[in-house]
């Protein structure tokens, strides 16, 4: 009986969490619309610039450049051959433009994540209070369903690449923050004490001791960011972002197994190529 009364007490009044969220978004639209328009313009310009840079060379020239880079990094025949076969297969299947659009989105999202995430990770490594505050925020960003924050992003920024970029950044940015914090925290105390004994300032310690030691972790964060960003291409397509997610959505809507397999294979090849390029860089450091 007491439990029933307690249950009725808890459920008698529903806390309007959803209404609060809607009111917050409405307030942002009414009072900060110009600001979000400005952000949208800047992000769209950045994406367009990256896409123009990727689209400038002829596809075959682009393939040759990738093969040359693979040879320079690996100094063996296996990886360049894999790069050549993978990129030529993408070109043969007719997904070259979609692949470049996806790359532009991934690279732009990764750039934003690293520019914002690395300083936040450094701050978290140097402040226990800030680290304790941001940890549940990062957990929320990675566990909340993507469609939940995709809705306000769509309302604030409209259809296209920008809401897809925003959703991708929200989903991927915890990786560089966490790994940068881990890398800076893992610097041996002896190195810090040695730097201080030589009269190094906090900024000198950061740039000459902590960041060089944390580079492998930061590179791992970059790799994770790119992989997480690439996993968001289908989500981005749902809000009008072009790229490899579009044929996947179309294949799903029409139950087209062949088209879905082709687009999925291209996404896998792009993910493998990006991982192999960055994995070598990380191991080299």
């Amino acid at each position: 009986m007491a439990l029933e009364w307690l249950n009725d007490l808890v459920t008698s009044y529903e806390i309007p969490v959803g209404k609060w969220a809607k009111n917050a978004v409405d307030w942002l639209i009414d009072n900060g619309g110009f600001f979000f328009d400005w952000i949208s313009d800047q992000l769209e310009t950045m994406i367009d610039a990256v896409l123009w840079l990727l689209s400038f060379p002829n596809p075959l020239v682009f393939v040759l450049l990738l093969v040359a880079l693979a040879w320079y990094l690996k100094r063996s025949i296996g990886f360049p051959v894999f790069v050549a076969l993978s990129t030529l297969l993408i070109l043969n299947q007719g997904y070259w433009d979609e692949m470049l659009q996806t790359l532009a989105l991934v690279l732009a999202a990764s750039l934003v994540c690293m520019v914002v995430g690395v300083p936040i990770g450094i701050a978290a490594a140097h402040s226990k209070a800030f680290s304790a505050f941001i940890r549940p925020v990062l957990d929320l960003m990675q566990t909340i369903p993507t469609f939940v924050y995709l809705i306000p992003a769509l309302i604030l920024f409209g259809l296209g690449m920008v809401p897809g970029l925003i959703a991708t950044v929200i989903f991927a940015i915890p990786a560089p923050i966490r790994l940068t914090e881990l890398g800076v925290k893992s610097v041996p105390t002896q190195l810090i004490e040695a730097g201080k004994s030589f009269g190094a300032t906090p900024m000198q310690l950061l740039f000459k001791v902590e960041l060089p030691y944390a580079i492998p972790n930061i590179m791992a964060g970059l790799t994770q960011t790119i992989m997480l960003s690439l996993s968001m291409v289908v989500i981005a397509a749902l809000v009008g972002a072009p790229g490899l997610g579009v044929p996947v959505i179309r294949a799903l809507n029409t139950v087209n197994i062949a088209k879905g397999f082709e687009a999925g294979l291209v996404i896998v090849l792009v993910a493998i190529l990006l991982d192999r390029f960055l994995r070598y860089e990380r191991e080299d450091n």
Side-chain angles (χ1 to χ4, degrees):
M1 195 69 181
L3 289 178
E4 292 180 0
W5 174 84
L6 184 59
N7 181 72
D8 292 338
L9 179 63
V10 172
T11 58
S12 60
Y13 174 74
E14 181 181 350
I15 301 174
V17 177
K19 185 177 180 180
W20 291 344
K22 180 182 181 301
N23 291 338
V25 173
D26 291 340
W27 184 87
L28 288 174
I29 294 174
D30 295 336
N31 297 275
F34 67 94
F35 175 70
F36 292 106
D37 290 340
W38 179 81
I39 292 179
S40 179
D41 292 339
Q42 301 307 310
L43 293 177
E44 191 169 353
T45 300
M46 179 179 64
I47 296 172
D48 290 341
V50 175
L51 182 58
W52 178 86
L53 186 62
L54 294 174
S55 305
F56 179 75
N58 181 275
L60 293 179
V61 174
F62 193 89
V63 171
L64 289 177
L65 291 174
L66 286 180
V67 171
L69 179 61
W71 172 261
Y72 173 78
L73 293 176
K74 207 69 176 178
R75 300 291 182 179
S76 65
I77 194 65
F79 185 49
V81 169
F82 176 76
V83 171
L85 293 177
S86 300
T87 50
L88 289 175
L89 178 61
I90 294 172
L91 183 61
N92 172 263
Q93 294 297 302
Y95 289 98
W96 188 260
D97 291 338
E98 289 84 354
M99 185 267 291
L100 293 182
Q101 292 165 347
T102 294
L103 272 180
L105 177 62
V106 170
L107 293 177
S110 300
L111 177 62
V112 173
C113 286
M114 298 305 290
V115 169
V116 177
V118 171
I120 293 177
I122 293 172
H126 287 95
S127 172
K128 291 184 179 179
F130 182 65
S131 178
F133 165 76
I134 201 172
R135 193 176 300 118
V137 177
L138 298 178
D139 292 338
L140 181 66
M141 292 168 68
Q142 286 192 305
T143 55
I144 192 170
T146 310
F147 295 100
V148 173
Y149 50 76
L150 198 60
I151 297 172
L154 182 61
I155 294 173
L156 293 173
F157 299 101
L159 287 171
M161 276 279 201
V162 175
L165 175 65
I166 297 297
T168 301
V169 168
I170 294 174
F171 180 70
I173 200 172
I177 294 176
R178 293 183 190 276
L179 287 168
T180 300
E181 179 184 2
L182 177 63
V184 174
K185 281 184 174 179
S186 64
V187 177
T189 307
Q190 297 89 335
L191 289 179
I192 302 295
E193 295 299 328
K196 290 181 178 179
S197 66
F198 282 101
T201 64
M203 292 300 293
Q204 289 174 330
L205 284 175
L206 175 63
F207 287 102
K208 295 182 180 294
V209 178
E210 294 176 339
L211 287 182
Y213 192 89
I215 281 296
N217 292 83
I218 295 175
M219 288 301 299
L222 175 60
T223 303
Q224 288 297 312
T225 300
I226 290 179
M227 293 300 106
L228 291 171
S229 300
L230 193 57
S231 70
M232 290 288 290
V233 295
V234 177
I235 303 297
L238 292 175
V239 292
L244 293 171
V246 175
V248 174
I249 296 297
R250 289 175 179 170
L252 180 63
N253 290 335
T254 59
V255 198
N256 190 328
I257 297 175
K259 183 68 68 175
F261 182 82
E262 291 171 0
L265 178 62
V266 173
I267 294 174
V268 170
L269 290 176
V270 172
I272 292 174
L273 289 175
L274 290 173
D275 180 68
R276 293 299 182 270
F277 275 112
L278 290 172
R279 176 181 296 180
Y280 179 83
E281 292 285 347
R282 188 169 68 245
E283 290 173 353
D284 185 60
N285 282 289

